[in-house]
Amino acid sequence: MTDLETIVNISDPAVQRIIDVTKHSRSSIRTTLIEDVEPLMQCIRTGVDFIEIYSSDTSPIPDELLELCRRQKIAVRLIDSSIVNQLFKAERKAKTFGIARVPRPARFSDIAKDGGDVVVLDGVKIVGNIGAIVRTSLALGASGIILVDSDLTSIADRRLLRASRGYVFSLPIVLASREDAIAFMRDRGMPLMVFDAEGELEVNDLGDNEDQLALVFGSEKGGPSDLFSEASSASVSIPMISSTESLNVSVSVGIALHARIRRNFAANR
């Protein structure tokens, strides 16, 4: 590994920066902490602006990450492991992590730039599910995600960054109200397809629809809200063995987007 400066003094300004960014009480999130090698590399490739990247002095930084940082002119330093232990205390201790400036929040206009379907998560609050849906949506050609009533105040939430493996900045994700989401889709002339166990259509029926669709998924317990159900063009079910109560929402999104894969891949060419 290339010789790197090691932070050995807890009074180093970088240590205070890390303490500030990990506070749960922050009212304004301008910077965020991104953990682990794969998410760091994904965020760097996406163009996220890093202030600095760090690693415990007991955890070697992979050459691939070091080279990427060198090309992007991102400073890299080691931190004495005793200081790392103090920084994260009872939390999951990050071995390699970076402090980055949070990109501006995505807008509906960012989603409108591409022609893929839009995934709408209505009342989905489990961050692990949202993170899995981010990766699936990116892989299967969705143009963006709208989060409604997710309890998130920013997509730079550290839990979501971890759950999405750093892909959260790789496609537009908009936090919105139900009313604003519906208004956007109406302005775009985008049919709303609400997924429901009793839907009149089956998911495979969507494969022949050439329109850009809004695919609306509620929480596993609550299902879609009345407002989206009333605004929908149709309801859609995923056939399954009757003894199975429901599918995990991230699995449902994957099934739906895979049924639309031909259309969405064509829209992204």
Side-chain angles (χ1 to χ4, degrees), residues 195 201-207 236-239 252 255-257 259-260:
F195 279 72
L201 299 178
E202 291 189 357
V203 65
N204 287 337
D205 296 332
L206 300 183
V236 184
S237 66
I238 298 174
S252 297
I255 291 170
L257 287 175
R260 299 278 295 159

Side-chain angles (χ1 to χ4, degrees), residues 121 124 126-134 163 220 248-250:
L121 302 183
V124 176
I126 297 175
V127 176
N129 283 338
I130 299 172
I133 289 166
V134 168
E220 290 173 49
N248 179 279
V249 64
S250 66

Side-chain angles (χ1 to χ4, degrees), residues 9-20:
N9 193 331
I10 201 163
S11 64
D12 190 292
V15 176
Q16 185 58 52
R17 185 185 300 129
I18 296 164
I19 292 170
D20 290 342

Side-chain angles (χ1 to χ4, degrees), residues 11-269:
S11 64
D12 190 292
V15 176
Q16 185 58 52
R17 185 185 300 129
I18 296 164
I19 292 170
D20 290 342
V21 87
T22 55
K23 287 179 180 175
H24 297 291
S25 58
R26 290 193 301 160
S27 58
S28 177
I29 301 179
R30 292 191 176 89
T31 56
T32 190
L33 185 141
I34 298 171
E35 304 164 69
D36 300 330
V37 172
E38 182 189 335
L40 284 167
M41 293 186 67
Q42 176 59 30
C43 288
I44 293 170
R45 291 180 182 125
T46 303
V48 174
D49 182 14
F50 278 85
I51 296 170
E52 196 164 20
I53 286 175
Y54 311 96
S55 187
S56 169
D57 63 357
T58 60
S59 300
I61 301 176
D63 289 340
E64 189 179 6
L65 175 57
L66 283 173
E67 175 60 21
L68 193 56
C69 291
R70 186 192 65 77
R71 291 204 305 266
Q72 298 301 321
K73 296 181 172 57
I74 300 170
V76 181
R77 285 194 286 172
L78 302 178
I79 302 179
D80 187 274
S81 57
S82 64
I83 296 177
V84 173
N85 290 337
Q86 291 180 66
L87 285 171
F88 296 102
K89 295 178 182 175
E91 293 186 68
R92 173 186 183 273
K93 288 182 176 60
K95 294 179 180 178
T96 303
F97 56 95
I99 303 297
R101 295 179 178 87
V102 176
R104 71 158 177 81
R107 306 181 180 109
F108 288 127
S109 57
D110 297 315
I111 294 178
K113 291 176 182 176
D114 295 315
D117 292 337
V118 178
V119 173
V120 183
L121 302 183
D122 179 20
V124 176
K125 300 177 187 289
I126 297 175
V127 176
N129 283 338
I130 299 172
I133 289 166
V134 168
R135 301 197 307 273
T136 299
S137 299
L138 181 64
L140 297 181
S143 65
I145 297 173
I146 299 174
L147 298 180
V148 173
D149 189 24
S150 66
D151 286 347
L152 293 171
T153 58
S154 168
I155 65 163
D157 184 286
R158 189 173 160 194
R159 298 165 301 158
L160 182 56
L161 281 160
R162 195 182 302 142
S164 72
R165 305 302 298 156
Y167 285 92
V168 74
F169 299 124
S170 298
L171 80 168
I173 303 173
V174 175
L175 306 179
S177 67
R178 291 181 177 90
E179 293 81 3
D180 287 346
I182 289 170
F184 165 68
M185 289 177 275
R186 283 178 172 161
D187 286 346
R188 294 278 296 173
M190 193 185 305
L192 275 73
M193 299 293 174
V194 172
F195 279 72
D196 186 272
E198 305 299 325
E200 64 237 38
L201 299 178
E202 291 189 357
V203 65
N204 287 337
D205 296 332
L206 300 183
D208 295 327
N209 190 323
E210 295 300 326
D211 292 330
Q212 181 184 30
L213 302 178
L215 307 175
V216 182
F217 301 85
S219 66
E220 290 173 49
K221 289 186 177 179
S225 64
D226 290 342
L227 201 59
F228 277 117
S229 295
E230 291 164 6
S232 68
S233 301
S235 59
V236 184
S237 66
I238 298 174
M240 55 188 174
I241 295 172
S242 59
S243 61
T244 305
E245 183 181 348
S246 66
L247 294 172
N248 179 279
V249 64
S250 66
V251 173
S252 297
V253 173
I255 291 170
L257 287 175
H258 195 270
R260 299 278 295 159
I261 196 167
R262 180 191 58 80
R263 188 264 167 208
N264 283 333
F265 276 19
N268 279 279
R269 287 198 186 104

